[in-house]
Amino acid sequence: MTDQLVAPVIPSSTSTSRTPFHASGGSRAAHALPLATPAAPPTAPPQDVVYGMGRIDASGRIGDRTVTHALGWRPGDRLTLTATRGVVLAHRDPAGMVTLTTKPYVTIPAVLRERCGLHAGERVLLAAAPGADTLAVYPLACLDQAIRAHQHRAAGDEGQP
């Protein structure tokens, strides 16, 4: 048995087309419907925030040279750390309880790590805001929640978790 190729049928661009009819019996020319255009993605990363990634060690230390350099934090600087739901915030404070060592680590005390659900070995997102002299430490679970919420909004199911 021999296979034969069948040539495609392509309508001619010069052929006449039918004009659609209205329900009222009249005809009208067909109009192309506009296509939805997605929102343009950001063209550049924000200039007021520097992002990095870190891993919490068993002592609660997290380091990212890019982030600490962007903040201008130096060894001997004192920090105050606070924790709210899902984020640890650090800012320079002469009366702070945490002191930066010669290595660019920020040490999160155990009580704050526990409050935010941060565990040794876990990777975290670091967001430095040099203008506010603040570092935010987010567990990746927070980042995952934000991404999933964005995906649901983009898909049009805002009511979904």
Side-chain angles (χ1 to χ4, degrees):
M1 186 164 160
T2 308
D3 291 334
Q4 289 184 328
L5 293 175
V6 177
V9 178
I10 302 172
S12 168
S13 62
T14 60
S15 68
T16 59
S17 62
R18 296 183 188 187
T19 305
F21 286 93
H22 270 277
S24 62
S27 66
R28 71 170 188 194
H31 296 289
L33 295 175
L35 296 175
T37 54
T43 56
Q47 298 298 312
D48 58 340
V49 179
V50 175
Y51 293 103
M53 295 293 292
R55 183 177 306 274
I56 301 172
D57 73 5
S59 300
R61 293 178 299 191
I62 304 168
D64 183 302
R65 291 179 194 273
T66 303
V67 171
T68 52
H69 179 71
L71 289 165
W73 292 356
R74 304 275 182 245
D77 284 347
R78 300 186 69 74
L79 306 174
T80 292
L81 283 80
T82 57
T84 60
R85 188 174 176 195
V87 63
V88 173
L89 297 174
H91 67 276
R92 222 174 343 197
D93 178 1
M97 297 291 288
V98 175
T99 304
L100 285 178
T101 63
T102 55
K103 295 192 178 187
Y105 295 123
V106 173
T107 303
I108 300 174
V111 69
L112 295 181
R113 293 192 314 267
E114 191 174 309
R115 186 179 299 163
C116 291
L118 298 172
H119 307 287
E122 186 175 353
R123 292 188 54 81
V124 292
L125 172 68
L126 304 171
D133 200 30
T134 302
L135 173 68
V137 180
Y138 296 96
L140 291 188
C142 288
L143 183 59
D144 181 63
Q145 286 176 347
I147 290 170
R148 288 176 189 269
H150 176 74
Q151 288 172 338
H152 287 301
R153 281 193 308 274
D157 12 308
E158 287 92 3
Q160 298 294 323

